Amino acid sequence: QVQLVESGGGLVQGGASLRLSCAASGRTYTIYKVGWFRQALGKEREFVSAISWNTGRTWYADSVKDRFTISRDSAKNTVYLQIARLKPEDTAVYYCAADSNSAGNPTLLASYDYSGQGTQVTVSS
């Protein structure tokens, strides 16, 4: 089993930056990828970004690739999502998820085996 805990969310003004963290514990050696997804009120959960646990290869949704940066600290078993120039439409619960399948599509939530409880990001205009 892998446990994931997100942190770093909060209420911020538009234009500010924020860094979300996803701390993994348990059988972290089984992780191939960690992804970030977000779900706004009344909308479906959508892919934001993902990173290969071992190689550091990254994936981004087209809508965020100019403002979001994903990274990892292997020593801390933690994946970060840096968000710049926050917009009100970034308001959502942000979830991280871990995939133990090397062939899984990083942009599909169904590919992931574990997910955290989420952290709320609210951006005021």
Side-chain angles (χ1 to χ4, degrees):
Q1 293 286 332
V2 173
Q3 293 79 42
L4 302 170
V5 178
E6 302 95 336
S7 62
L11 173 62
V12 296
Q13 285 192 329
S17 297
L18 202 61
R19 189 178 77 163
L20 306 181
S21 300
C22 171
S25 61
R27 300 176 67 184
T28 57
Y29 58 88
T30 64
I31 298 174
Y32 278 94
K33 294 185 289 294
V34 172
W36 282 97
F37 293 79
R38 66 183 180 184
Q39 187 166 19
L41 193 63
K43 295 187 177 181
E44 293 187 354
R45 197 168 301 189
E46 64 174 355
F47 169 74
V48 173
S49 183
I51 188 166
S52 169
W53 192 252
N54 294 318
T55 68
R57 180 185 176 186
T58 59
W59 297 264
Y60 293 95
D62 288 342
S63 60
V64 305
K65 60 184 179 181
D66 60 338
R67 296 187 298 116
F68 288 34
T69 304
I70 193 171
S71 62
R72 78 200 192 291
D73 185 332
S74 300
K76 295 182 179 180
N77 288 331
T78 300
V79 172
Y80 303 99
L81 185 68
Q82 181 76 38
I83 310 174
R85 303 186 303 280
L86 278 155
K87 304 176 181 180
E89 50 263 44
D90 293 322
T91 295
V93 178
Y94 284 72
Y95 301 88
C96 66
D99 176 8
S100 59
N101 181 353
S102 62
N105 185 325
T107 69
L108 296 180
L109 184 60
S111 298
Y112 292 82
D113 304 296
Y114 308 98
S115 181
Q117 294 300 306
T119 184
Q120 175 72 48
V121 173
T122 303
V123 184
S124 62
S125 58

